[in-house]
Amino acid sequence: MEFTLFETSDVHGYLYPTDYQSRKHEQEHGLFKIASLLERERQATKGPSLTIENGDIIQGSPFTHYLVKHKKSAKYLTDAVNQMNFDAGIIGNHEFNYGLDYLNSAVETAKYPFLCANIVKSDGSLAFGQAYKMFEQDGIKVAILGLTTQYIPNWEHPENYKGLTFLSATETAKKYVPELREQADIVVVSYHGGFEKDLKTGKETEVQTGENEGYKILEEVEGIDVLLTGHQHRLIAEVVKNTAVIMPGHKGEYLGKVVIELEKNNDTLTIKKMKPELLSVEGVPVDEKLFNQLKWLNDEVEEWLDQPVGQVQGDMQIFDVEKARREEHPYIEFINRVQMYYAKCDISGTALFNNKVNGFDESVSLRDVVLNYIYPNTLAVLKVTGEELKNAIERSATYFKVQDDNQITINPEFMNPKPQMYNYDMYEGIDYTIDVTQPEGERVVEFKYQGKDILPNDDLEIVINQYRAVGGGDYGMFDATKIIREVTIPMSELIGDYFAQFSPIVAEVNNNFKVISTK
């Protein structure tokens, strides 16, 4: 007997095979490619199957940005997803980015149940859907338990999770899995989270904050046959200690698949073999019905993206993204200036979120804005001490390593197991120098504000994005108690407004920070 599980995760609103850099549909990703591949695989399976959507689907692309801004509901997206006949869905952390009303619009319009055992309301009841669901197909009983990373309060604006408590995924699994093991032939945990340790060696791969608990779940929770994961956008398909583990990347690049062979002896089903794999959508055509059904809406998105927002005088394009992290670039100067203007604050920090940030050409469209500033961040002004700000820059300084030949390179911890360029910040309004040859924690060798050394007890006001303001990215020196005011308009809108008011923008830098090597 065979049973097959399919998984999607971290689609991030990429329905069409486009990166929205242009109007071309030629990328090897997208949910509508997954839809074709999934239908083909379902027809080819020898036995019954279940398909799980593992979270982070309603946020992350210009398409979803347009939906939340102009349609105010996730219904258009979920109407398309519903046609793929998912059996269950999981809440991802980015589902909270647009607020609870928008998240609930997705939950309410989905035609499949949401499973979320570890997010509860103040009265202890489940916040979304149910904890688990039992399925029975062809006499095979399958239990699916839904879990979400508990770390959401460390990233999100408090209003976006008001009244909710996030429990440990591991402890929640310990509560439910024994009960499910007694009832089911196959126990599946679908977890929107990743792995905090190397699956083979057990070596820590990140700070052990509780953001990712996948390894701990495998170690401490007995009785899990399949662990479906996501969040880290990694490609994983292997069997770890008798548990099949899957993580299918992001943007609909891969469909996760686990084929489970069972043997029946005296009315008892036993798992004989499991085969986890990732199926690429490369070369797979889109589902034409779904493609055409939402084409009108995607055309609206493309028209919206092509709206001009302003002009740049000079060169604000980024050709060497790592150089732009070591030497101040006009694009970073500009983003910090926008934050300082709207927050009425004279110290600002921002990041280049990934290595696809191209900066701005002379003519800037809304497409350029949302592709460079990819997250729906709002801003927060914090009152911090000189010591706290210096510690934050020291945290950013760990982004760099120095080689024997004195060349500055990237700390592998910011690349593996998941790229985290968004956790390296660059500040405006202060003058500072990072010497990467110094020990971590002692790399800030110059640190001035308005020409004077910043002292540990000095009080300063800084503006940073909301994710960083509540400590996201292991910035423990920041938290919500330090927030003194907020700018609740998303940064992408503020950038457009700034262009409308001040265009043309002069591309310039004041070189207020330096990254050096003094070997």
Side-chain angles (χ1 to χ4, degrees), residues 412-423:
E413 292 180 5
F414 281 79
M415 298 297 296
N416 299 304
K418 173 184 176 181
Q420 298 181 51
M421 293 82 171
Y422 51 82
N423 282 332

Side-chain angles (χ1 to χ4, degrees), residues 48 187 290 412 418 437 449 504 514:
V187 174
L290 290 173
K418 173 184 176 181
T437 60
Y449 173 60
K514 293 181 290 184

Side-chain angles (χ1 to χ4, degrees), residues 62-73:
F63 184 93
T64 58
H65 189 124
Y66 181 82
L67 283 185
V68 72
K69 183 175 175 61
H70 295 281
K71 303 300 183 183
K72 312 297 184 187
S73 171

Side-chain angles (χ1 to χ4, degrees), residues 28-167:
E28 297 293 356
H29 66 226
L31 193 67
F32 293 164
K33 277 177 166 277
I34 289 283
S36 292
L37 179 58
L38 180 60
E39 182 59 30
R40 186 178 76 192
E41 287 293 319
R42 282 171 171 161
Q43 292 178 7
T45 57
K46 296 180 181 178
S49 67
L50 292 172
T51 307
I52 311 300
E53 207 303 297
N54 194 54
D56 276 7
I57 193 170
I58 68 172
Q59 178 278 342
S61 70
F63 184 93
T64 58
H65 189 124
Y66 181 82
L67 283 185
V68 72
K69 183 175 175 61
H70 295 281
K71 303 300 183 183
K72 312 297 184 187
S73 171
K75 179 180 183 300
Y76 297 93
L77 186 149
T78 52
D79 281 350
V81 175
N82 284 337
Q83 295 179 56
M84 293 177 62
N85 298 315
F86 285 97
D87 294 289
I90 309 300
I91 302 291
N93 57 294
H94 284 287
E95 258 72 79
F96 290 86
N97 285 174
Y98 297 141
L100 286 173
D101 287 345
Y102 195 81
L103 168 51
N104 284 322
S105 77
V107 173
E108 291 163 4
T109 54
K111 291 183 178 179
Y112 51 85
F114 275 88
L115 309 179
C116 188
N118 66 318
I119 305 178
V120 298
K121 299 177 183 178
S122 56
D123 62 1
S125 62
L126 296 177
F128 304 101
Q130 55 203 80
Y132 63 88
K133 185 171 175 63
M134 295 292 300
F135 297 87
E136 184 170 356
Q137 296 184 5
D138 293 358
I140 303 171
K141 296 178 181 179
V142 183
I144 311 286
L145 174 67
L147 299 170
T148 301
T149 173
Q150 65 173 321
Y151 210 60
I152 289 165
N154 294 278
W155 302 311
E156 272 302 334
H157 191 292
E159 193 66 27
N160 290 355
Y161 60 90
K162 187 176 182 181
L164 303 182
T165 298
F166 298 79
L167 308 175

Side-chain angles (χ1 to χ4, degrees), residues 383-399:
K383 187 174 183 179
V384 300
T385 65
E387 181 179 20
E388 289 166 339
L389 180 55
K390 188 175 183 181
N391 287 342
I393 298 174
E394 289 285 5
R395 159 65 179 144
S396 283
T398 64
Y399 181 81

Side-chain angles (χ1 to χ4, degrees), residues 289-327:
K289 179 184 176 184
L290 290 173
F291 185 97
N292 292 324
Q293 180 179 312
L294 280 184
K295 185 177 181 300
W296 66 273
L297 182 55
N298 198 60
D299 287 346
E300 280 188 18
V301 175
E302 298 284 11
E303 290 293 328
W304 173 69
L305 289 172
D306 283 335
Q307 294 177 41
V309 296
Q311 299 289 320
V312 170
Q313 285 185 355
D315 187 0
M316 205 179 281
Q317 296 183 83
I318 298 174
F319 299 103
D320 185 339
V321 69
E322 289 305 333
K323 183 179 179 181
R325 293 187 174 105
R326 298 189 305 269
E327 301 173 16

Side-chain angles (χ1 to χ4, degrees), residues 313 315-316 328-331 333-334 337 506-510:
Q313 285 185 355
D315 187 0
M316 205 179 281
E328 189 176 29
H329 189 279
Y331 173 80
E333 177 95 12
F334 169 72
R337 294 291 177 187
V506 177
E508 59 186 356
V509 293
N510 59 6

